[in-house]
Structures are given as structure tokens and as C-alpha cells.
């Protein structure tokens, strides 16, 4: 790792502290964390030809490399990548054969799809990565639809919810909403947490213009959020206001609403609003786009670095490449 590596910091704060990660790693390895730019780390990085961070090197007791994992990984992907290196039954070649021969256990489907995406990610080819994600999604969707209701609630299939539940429209999300009380703990708690994040994500995509708002879909999502008690703390109320105002179609009025209520958004909601803000004005005339850019400029002094960075790109788009 390096001290300046963002993904390294992300893993250090959110992945490594998880008990299940510690159990997995401590059961199999002596884990060592080394700064590639200090002390012995400089020579070790050269020895193992480390060129990206974070890099996880699996070595035997003699220091011989058995395999490596590159980049940010959350628990499931990290587990599958490591098992693909140390477990002969989960090597890429064996997984391909097991899958081609029709084996569709949770273990194989989880490991095989993770391997597809991981290999594409390592290629750093965006097209290959998108194709791998689409193929993995299709495989998991087909597998999930083949399960009985009882099997959908087995812990072995938790990976479907943690990795492949992304939209309130997903079959696994709809099933979870209808049956959350029937899941056993601790799986129930994990699935419930993910469902809440998926619904928040759905609202955030509409907030920032990432997805076109269909009134019926928006109303249905809001109703589910209310029925399930996902907004008891009111954290979505301001975001609702932004979406409702934009749906009225009066963009000048919407800009005024932004001026009055922007500070009321949560930090993550601000990020979603700003990263695609210009798309909310795709059909606007130049004068309205200039007013939208002016709104962003007026907020810059109190923005975080991330907000300023996102705003700068949106201002450039709204102003037609101006500065």
C-alpha cells in the first residue's frame, strides 16, 4: 500500500476491521501490511514487481508468490479471489469446467461470476469489464429465479443480495421486501441494511438526474420506503423536495429551490446531485443553463473539495466550455 492510495484507505477503514475478514485472513495467513515507499517496502515492491495499489500478494512460507489480487476489494470479492489462488477446486480453470458442466451450486455461481468480473477488472478494459458485469448479472439472475423461496433465504445465497441487488426493481429486492421478516438472523439484518441502501440509491439517482423519473415508479418507491419505515429519520425528505420540484418542469423555479435547500441535503445526496447536475438542464435554454451554473458558482466557497471538483465539471458543461 501507499499512504496516498485512496482505495488502500478505503479498505483500511471499511473492509479490514470487519470480524469476518479477520477470521478469513487469520485462519489462513500471517498478514503483513507494507508501505511500498518506505523502508523494506521499497525493495519488496521491486522484488514482487508491484505497480498498483493496493496489491495483495499470496506467498508460501519461502516467500514464493502463489498469486495476487489487485485493487479495492470488498469481503465477498476478496474471499473469492483469494480462494481462487489457494483452493485448487476454485482456480479459474476448474471453475470454468465446473460451470460448463452445469454445476449451479451457490458456491460455484458466486465464485465463477466473481472470477469473471475480477479478471475483466484486471484487464483495465472498460468494454470487457462492462460485458463481464452484464454476463455475471445474467448468470446470477437466472440462478436466483431457479431457487425456491426457502433457498432464497439461505445464508449461502447472501451473495446475491450483497453483490447483485442494485435496484428496487430487482427480483431479489422485491422478494426481500415481501419476506424480510422470514429471514433468519444475522442474514435478516444484513439483507435489510442492503435493501435500505438500494432504495436510498434509487432516490439519489433521480435526485441527480442519473435516471429519468417515471412518476409511477417514483410514487411506488416512495410508498415502499414509507411502508417499510426506511425514512423514519426523515433523511430523504429534502431529496424528495428536489425531485418533486424538478418534476414540475419549471427549471427557473427549480434553481431557486436549489438555492434555498441545497444546504439541507446530506453529503452523499449533494454528491449525487452535483455529479450529473447539468443533465437536469439538458432541455433548457442557454439563459437557464447560465443561471444553473451561477447557482453552483455561488456555493463553491462553502463546498468540500469533492463538491468543488464535481461542480467545476458541471459548470463547464452548463456554460458551454467556459471558465
Amino acid at each position: 500500500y501507499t499512504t496516498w492510495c485512496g482505495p488502500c484507505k478505503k479498505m483500511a477503514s471499511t473492509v479490514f476491521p470487519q470480524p469476518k475478514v479477520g477470521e478469513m485472513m487469520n485462519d489462513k495467513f500471517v498478514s503483513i501490511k507494507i508501505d511500498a515507499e518506505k523502508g523494506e517496502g521499497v525493495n519488496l515492491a521491486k522484488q514482487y514487481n508491484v505497480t498498483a495499489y493496493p496489491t495483495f500478494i499470496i506467498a508460501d512460507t519461502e516467500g514464493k508468490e502463489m498469486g495476487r489480487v489487485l485493487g479495492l476489494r470488498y469481503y465477498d470479492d476478496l474471499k473469492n479471489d483469494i480462494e481462487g489462488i489457494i483452493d485448487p477446486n476454485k482456480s479459474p480453470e476448474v471453475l470454468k469446467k465446473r460451470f460448463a458442466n452445469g454445476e449451479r451450486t451457490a458456491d460455484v455461481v458466486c465464485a465463477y461470476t466473481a472470477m469473471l468480473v475480477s479478471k475483466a477488472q484486471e484487464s483495465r478494459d472498460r468494454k470487457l469489464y462492462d460485458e463481464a458485469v452484464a454476463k455475471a448479472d445474467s448468470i446470477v439472475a437466472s440462478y436466483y429465479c431457479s431457487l425456491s423461496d426457502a433457498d432464497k433465504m439461505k445464508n449461502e445465497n447472501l451473495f446475491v443480495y450483497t453483490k447483485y441487488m442494485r435496484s428496487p426493481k430487482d427480483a431479489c429486492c422485491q422478494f426481500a421486501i415481501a419476506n424480510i421478516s422470514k429471514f433468519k438472523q444475522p442474514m435478516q439484518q444484513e439483507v435489510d441494511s442492503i435493501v435500505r441502501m438500494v432504495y436510498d440509491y434509487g432516490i439519489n439517482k433521480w435526485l441527480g438526474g442519473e435516471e429519468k423519473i417515471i412518476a409511477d415508479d417514483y410514487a411506488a418507491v416512495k410508498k415502499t420506503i414509507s411502508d417499510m419505515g426506511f425514512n423514519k429519520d426523515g433523511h430523504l425528505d429534502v431529496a424528495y423536495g428536489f425531485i418533486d420540484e424538478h418534476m414540475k418542469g419549471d427549471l427557473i423555479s427549480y434553481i431557486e429551490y436549489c438555492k434555498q435547500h441545497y444546504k439541507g441535503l446530506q453529503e452523499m445526496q449533494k454528491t449525487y446531485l452535483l455529479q450529473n447536475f447539468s443533465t437536469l438542464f439538458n432541455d433548457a435554454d442557454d439563459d437557464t443553463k447560465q443561471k444553473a451554473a451561477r447557482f453552483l458558482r455561488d456555493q463553491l466557497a462553502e463546498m468540500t473539495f469533492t463538491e468543488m471538483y464535481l461542480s467545476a465539471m458541471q459548470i463547464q458543461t452548463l456554460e458551454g466550455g467556459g471558465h
Side-chain angles (χ1 to χ4, degrees), residues 203-211 243 269 272-280:
I203 294 298
N204 285 335
K205 288 200 294 183
W206 283 323
L207 170 69
E210 182 179 337
E211 186 173 297
I243 296 170
Q269 293 168 346
Y272 274 99
L273 177 68
L274 295 175
Q275 65 186 3
N276 292 296
F277 189 71
S278 62
T279 64
L280 296 168

Side-chain angles (χ1 to χ4, degrees), residues 36-316:
E37 297 180 336
K38 292 181 181 179
E40 65 176 343
V42 176
N43 288 330
L44 281 172
K46 291 179 181 178
Q47 177 184 334
Y48 287 104
N49 192 29
V50 175
T51 58
Y53 307 100
T55 293
F56 298 88
I57 296 187
I58 312 299
D60 63 19
T61 54
E62 301 300 318
K64 181 180 178 181
E65 180 176 341
M66 300 170 63
R68 66 177 59 193
V69 179
L70 301 178
L72 174 64
R73 289 291 189 275
Y74 294 102
Y75 172 74
D76 287 331
D77 291 330
L78 184 62
K79 178 176 181 290
N80 287 321
D81 286 342
I82 289 174
E83 288 180 345
I85 295 171
I86 66 174
D87 185 344
N89 289 320
K90 289 188 177 180
S91 68
E93 294 75 19
V94 172
L95 278 176
K96 289 176 184 177
K97 288 181 181 178
R98 292 173 72 183
F99 188 82
N101 290 335
E103 190 173 341
R104 294 297 185 271
T105 60
D107 201 34
V108 167
V109 171
C110 179
Y112 178 72
T113 52
M115 182 268 294
L116 288 177
V117 175
S118 179
K119 292 300 180 184
Q121 190 173 27
E122 288 178 11
S123 74
R124 300 188 179 182
D125 184 315
R126 184 68 195 189
K127 182 181 179 183
L128 287 178
Y129 175 76
D130 289 342
E131 289 174 351
V133 169
K135 183 177 181 180
D137 285 352
S138 177
I139 290 170
V140 172
S142 177
Y143 164 74
Y144 186 78
C145 288
S146 73
L147 299 175
S148 67
D149 286 359
D151 285 339
K152 289 175 180 176
M153 292 184 278
K154 288 183 177 179
N155 194 67
E156 65 188 29
N157 290 311
L158 179 61
F159 78 95
V160 177
Y161 303 97
T162 58
K163 294 181 62 179
Y164 295 94
M165 184 164 64
R166 305 189 187 101
S167 165
K169 290 185 177 181
D170 289 345
C172 55
C173 189
Q174 292 295 311
F175 179 83
I177 286 290
N179 298 277
I180 193 65
S181 63
K182 299 177 184 177
F183 284 80
K184 294 181 179 179
Q185 294 291 6
M187 187 176 179
Q188 180 188 116
Q189 184 176 354
E190 290 195 58
V191 173
D192 179 77
S193 176
I194 299 162
V195 169
R196 289 171 184 266
M197 287 191 289
V198 166
Y199 273 84
D200 273 13
Y201 178 51
I203 294 298
N204 285 335
K205 288 200 294 183
W206 283 323
L207 170 69
E210 182 179 337
E211 186 173 297
K212 183 178 179 180
I213 302 172
I214 299 175
D216 289 346
D217 290 347
Y218 176 50
V221 167
K222 284 181 70 175
K223 184 179 186 303
T224 299
I225 288 173
S226 176
D227 292 346
M228 297 297 293
F230 292 165
N231 191 39
K232 285 183 178 180
D233 60 358
H235 72 282
L236 293 174
D237 290 348
V238 179
Y240 286 159
F242 274 76
I243 296 170
D244 294 339
E245 190 66 30
H246 190 268
M247 288 177 67
K248 294 177 183 178
D250 185 339
L251 293 178
I252 297 298
S253 177
Y254 175 71
I255 293 170
E256 291 302 316
Y257 190 91
C258 291
K259 292 178 182 178
Q260 296 173 27
H261 299 282
Y262 175 76
K263 292 181 180 179
L265 290 170
Q266 296 190 336
E267 292 305 311
M268 184 58 69
Q269 293 168 346
K270 289 178 181 177
T271 298
Y272 274 99
L273 177 68
L274 295 175
Q275 65 186 3
N276 292 296
F277 189 71
S278 62
T279 64
L280 296 168
F281 299 88
N282 281 343
D283 299 325
D285 56 36
D286 288 342
D287 183 60
T288 301
K289 289 180 179 180
Q290 292 296 324
K291 286 182 170 62
R294 182 73 261 169
F295 155 70
L296 292 178
R297 286 184 178 277
D298 289 343
Q299 313 305 313
L300 290 174
E302 297 183 23
M303 284 184 172
T304 64
F305 175 79
T306 298
E307 292 167 15
M308 291 177 67
Y309 175 75
L310 294 172
S311 294
M313 293 189 292
Q314 299 306 307
I315 290 170
Q316 188 173 34

Side-chain angles (χ1 to χ4, degrees), residues 3-40:
T3 56
W4 48 262
C5 167
C8 300
K9 294 177 182 178
K10 182 75 172 177
M11 292 197 72
S13 63
T14 64
V15 179
F16 298 152
Q18 296 179 42
K20 59 185 178 182
V21 175
E23 291 170 7
M24 174 185 71
M25 300 299 288
N26 294 335
D27 182 54
K28 299 177 177 65
F29 308 105
V30 175
S31 299
I32 304 171
K33 183 178 179 182
I34 300 172
D35 188 333
E37 297 180 336
K38 292 181 181 179
E40 65 176 343

